[in-house]
Amino acid sequence: MGEETHAEKANGEVVSESSVKYYTLEEIKSHNMCKDTWLVIHDKVYDITCFLEEHPGGEEVLLEQAGADATESFEDVGHSIDAREMLEQYLVGEVHMDDRRKDCTQDTFITTSGEASSWTMWFIPVLAAAVFGLMYRYYTLEQQSS
């Protein structure tokens, strides 16, 4: 119970009983041309062939990552929530469990980075204003006493 069993097809595609398709990195690498373009983002496999011409940043940036893990590039650009939701329509499967990276710190960074940045957006200016206010107060008191 709770355990997924996988069956491998003749073409190397791995399918689980839950109908999620699993692809090896070797298979994903073969989808690296403008007429057949796949990307891996957070261990999910996307066929973005139809989206190449629509991409606001141009198709070249997508083709540079074609057939490979584009997670870091995707996150570095800082895609919007709309872009992340749009990505779901191109989902074709997931990276096979044996080919996934074992790095869990990246997921932690992604989930907490939004919280940290919104917190610092108000804290740093308030702290700076308080320090400036104290310095101004100290300076004016020194001037009055002399």
Side-chain angles (χ1 to χ4, degrees), residues 18 23 26 40 42 44 53 97-98:
S18 67
Y23 299 94
E26 275 304 309
V40 174
H42 296 293
K44 292 186 178 182
E53 292 179 9
M97 298 298 180
D98 294 340

Side-chain angles (χ1 to χ4, degrees), residues 121-135:
M121 285 181 64
W122 68 265
F123 181 73
I124 291 174
V126 168
L127 182 63
V131 169
F132 179 75
L134 289 172
M135 289 175 60

Side-chain angles (χ1 to χ4, degrees), residues 34-144:
C34 62
K35 299 212 183 268
D36 182 25
T37 311
W38 287 15
L39 293 177
V40 174
I41 300 174
H42 296 293
D43 294 323
K44 292 186 178 182
V45 182
Y46 301 94
D47 181 350
I48 56 153
T49 309
C50 315
F51 181 67
L52 289 176
E53 292 179 9
E54 299 173 33
H55 187 250
E59 65 184 68
E60 296 82 19
V61 295
L62 296 177
L63 289 171
E64 287 175 6
Q65 302 289 322
D69 190 335
T71 303
E72 187 173 338
S73 298
F74 183 82
E75 293 301 337
D76 285 348
V77 171
H79 284 88
S80 66
I81 293 172
D82 290 340
R84 292 170 191 276
E85 289 173 358
M86 182 185 290
L87 191 60
E88 292 305 312
Q89 67 185 321
Y90 303 106
L91 182 67
V92 293
E94 295 184 14
V95 175
H96 189 274
M97 298 298 180
D98 294 340
D99 286 339
R100 292 185 182 196
R101 287 195 278 163
K102 307 294 184 232
D103 184 17
C104 295
T105 58
Q106 185 177 13
D107 290 336
T108 305
F109 174 74
I110 292 165
T111 56
T112 60
S113 65
E115 296 167 12
S117 63
S118 64
W119 181 77
T120 56
M121 285 181 64
W122 68 265
F123 181 73
I124 291 174
V126 168
L127 182 63
V131 169
F132 179 75
L134 289 172
M135 289 175 60
Y136 179 77
R137 182 86 168 162
Y138 177 76
Y139 178 74
T140 56
L141 288 176
E142 285 290 317
Q143 292 297 325
Q144 290 176 357

Side-chain angles (χ1 to χ4, degrees), residues 15-27:
V15 182
S16 77
E17 289 181 353
S18 67
S19 77
V20 173
K21 293 182 182 179
Y22 290 89
Y23 299 94
T24 64
L25 290 178
E26 275 304 309
E27 184 176 8

